[in-house]
Amino acid sequence: MKGPQYQVIITDCDHGSIREEKEEFDRIGIELTLVQVREEEDLIHMCRDADGLINQYAFLTRKVLEKLPKCKVIARYGVGVDSIDLKAATDLGIIVANVPDYCIDEVSDHAIAMILSLARKTPLYNQRAKSGEWDFRLGIPIRRIRGKTLGLIGCGKIGLEVARKIAAFGVRVISFDPYVERAPDGIELTDFDTVLKKSDFISIHCPLNKSTRHLIGEKELKKMEKRPLLINTSRGPIIDEKALIRALEEGLVSGVGLDVLEKEPPDSGNPMLGMENVILSPHVGFYSEESISELKRRTAKNVSDVLMERWPASVVNREVMGKTRALFSADTI
Ligand code: NAD
């Protein structure tokens, strides 16, 4: 067992405890320290003897990585690794690992919760009922959910789970995803315009990148013939928010559910804050006690795997294979 000779450092995290991570490293006798630093010089000073790092927000730049001669692996809490200089890590033989799928249930549940809440108008009724207005007519018209069409923009892990779950409500699912060739069970693959035109509900599940920034703008909103409910649990800038506000004012969409915004938190003057057919949540889609616990355990496991000479579950810079600082016997990779 190689454990006791190694040191692992968590640069920073806001999870409140590191119980799961400690359990993982205690099991194999590896020392774990949480230092809560983010500045380059502090990172270099505190992490210079680390064999493995875990980070959340701290930027691990080339300058920092070059000063960490023993570091064999960096595991990021979560999916995104933009806080790590991947090219530098690869050049230096450091494996970078992430956890890409710890909250698929949570985000898909959140998207469905938003669709159901908007369709049944529960936030509106809740607010009105508590302020003394007990009248079912306040929210009409209300349309039946069964038989409607959900259009998914992006049919990856979360999109697929939304499709699977909403099938129980008798909803037909169509999807636009330029990178998916074969339609998954229960989903009809189609083009972007058809999703915009034919959907009663539209839910966004593609990543944010150059080609998806403002993917939904004025032109696209005008194509939404069915005045759909529009849900975004992916990333705010995928929707042009100014165009969305105009579309809401003109009634081009019937309701909007956003877990993510172009600017988080929103300005106090954002008109959507006063609209009854808009529901907002503060980028919470990923969260449950269980998802965070799983994230912490799997992040720690990515590090312990490398130090115990096992290739971890999700390596981001696979091109590092063959030139890693860590030791691997051929049959463990
Ligand atoms: P994924 O990689 O499994 O799926 C994304 C899908 O989008 C892929 O199938 C890809 O082919 C498709 N895609 C790429 N470009 C597209 C385009 N231009 N048009 C349509 N589809 C396109 O990712 P996932 O795990 O399903 O996550 C989806 C997104 O959810 C993430 O990118 C992230 O932004 C977001 N997310 C949000 C939260 C939250 O807390 N709200 C948590 C986790 C993930």
Side-chain angles (χ1 to χ4, degrees):
M1 196 120 127
K2 301 266 184 304
Q5 71 202 49
Y6 290 132
Q7 262 193 58
V8 175
I9 292 190
I10 301 177
T11 58
D12 63 311
C13 82
D14 62 7
H15 297 141
S17 101
I18 55 165
R19 184 175 56 83
E20 289 85 347
E21 296 88 325
K22 263 203 146 342
E23 279 170 8
E24 173 63 23
F25 292 111
D26 281 352
R27 205 172 50 79
I28 48 177
I30 289 181
E31 192 186 325
L32 175 71
T33 314
L34 167 62
V35 293
Q36 294 292 25
V37 293
R38 294 199 199 171
E39 297 301 321
E40 269 190 341
E41 291 309 322
D42 297 335
L43 286 163
I44 293 167
H45 178 66
M46 302 301 291
C47 305
R48 59 181 187 263
D49 293 324
D51 298 279
L53 289 185
I54 293 176
N55 78 321
Q56 188 174 11
Y57 303 112
F59 278 95
L60 299 174
T61 59
R62 181 176 286 273
K63 183 176 164 198
V64 172
L65 297 183
E66 280 177 346
K67 298 281 172 45
L68 311 178
K70 295 184 177 174
C71 183
K72 299 157 189 62
V73 54
I74 301 167
R76 164 93 219 287
Y77 286 116
V79 189
V81 287
D82 37 305
S83 56
I84 303 165
D85 186 331
L86 282 182
K87 171 82 172 57
T90 307
D91 292 346
L92 294 162
I94 302 172
I95 294 170
V96 178
N98 68 347
V99 185
D101 54 357
Y102 68 101
C103 60
I104 292 167
D105 258 318
E106 284 72 15
V107 184
S108 56
D109 287 351
H110 205 82
I112 295 207
M114 284 185 149
I115 294 171
L116 298 181
S117 303
L118 286 167
R120 294 300 309 164
K121 303 196 177 171
T122 48
L124 177 148
Y125 281 117
N126 174 52
Q127 214 166 18
R128 299 292 194 91
K130 286 179 177 169
S131 61
E133 293 182 272
W134 191 265
D135 183 350
F136 79 90
R137 283 166 300 209
L138 289 170
I140 59 176
I142 295 175
R143 306 269 175 230
R144 178 179 285 171
I145 293 170
R146 181 173 298 280
K148 295 291 183 293
T149 298
L150 165 67
L152 298 174
I153 298 178
C155 195
K157 294 183 286 295
I158 295 172
L160 274 177
E161 199 54 22
V162 170
R164 205 182 60 74
K165 289 174 179 170
I166 206 144
F169 290 85
V171 169
R172 170 181 170 237
V173 182
I174 61 176
S175 175
F176 166 67
D177 188 321
Y179 305 103
V180 170
E181 281 167 14
R182 270 192 47 224
D185 276 355
I187 302 179
E188 192 186 311
L189 283 182
T190 183
D191 55 280
F192 188 42
D193 275 11
T194 303
V195 166
L196 301 178
K197 284 183 185 157
K198 303 289 177 210
S199 302
D200 302 286
F201 317 133
I202 295 179
S203 194
I204 299 175
H205 300 289
C206 60
L208 173 65
N209 55 39
K210 270 194 225 135
S211 69
T212 61
R213 183 173 293 272
H214 287 192
L215 184 69
I216 303 292
E218 187 177 345
K219 191 161 59 82
E220 291 71 29
L221 288 155
K222 286 197 164 138
K223 286 182 183 168
M224 296 181 181
E225 288 174 2
K226 295 177 108 176
R227 299 178 62 247
L229 301 176
L230 176 62
I231 314 298
N232 188 7
T233 55
S234 189
R235 286 292 180 267
I238 295 172
I239 300 182
D240 175 350
E241 214 166 278
K242 286 202 179 93
L244 178 64
I245 291 166
R246 282 196 301 274
L248 275 157
E249 286 163 350
E250 290 166 17
L252 299 179
V253 286
S254 312
V256 169
L258 304 175
D259 186 46
V260 288
L261 293 173
E262 279 207 90
K263 181 162 180 283
E264 296 174 12
D267 293 328
S268 59
N270 188 320
M272 289 194 291
L273 299 183
M275 294 180 180
E276 271 187 323
N277 57 344
V278 174
I279 53 179
L280 303 178
S281 56
H283 203 144
V284 64
F286 69 97
Y287 192 86
S288 73
E289 307 313 320
E290 289 84 353
S291 66
I292 295 305
S293 185
E294 179 178 337
L295 171 66
K296 285 147 55 70
R297 237 180 309 107
R298 289 173 59 189
T299 303
K301 179 87 167 45
N302 278 337
V303 173
S304 70
D305 272 348
V306 173
L307 299 182
M308 302 309 286
E309 302 182 7
R310 289 187 297 260
W311 194 247
S314 175
V315 174
V316 183
N317 59 339
R318 293 190 68 82
E319 57 285 11
V320 77
M321 204 186 253
K323 53 175 179 175
T324 59
R325 279 181 186 167
L327 293 171
F328 293 106
S329 53
D331 59 352
T332 58
I333 298 183

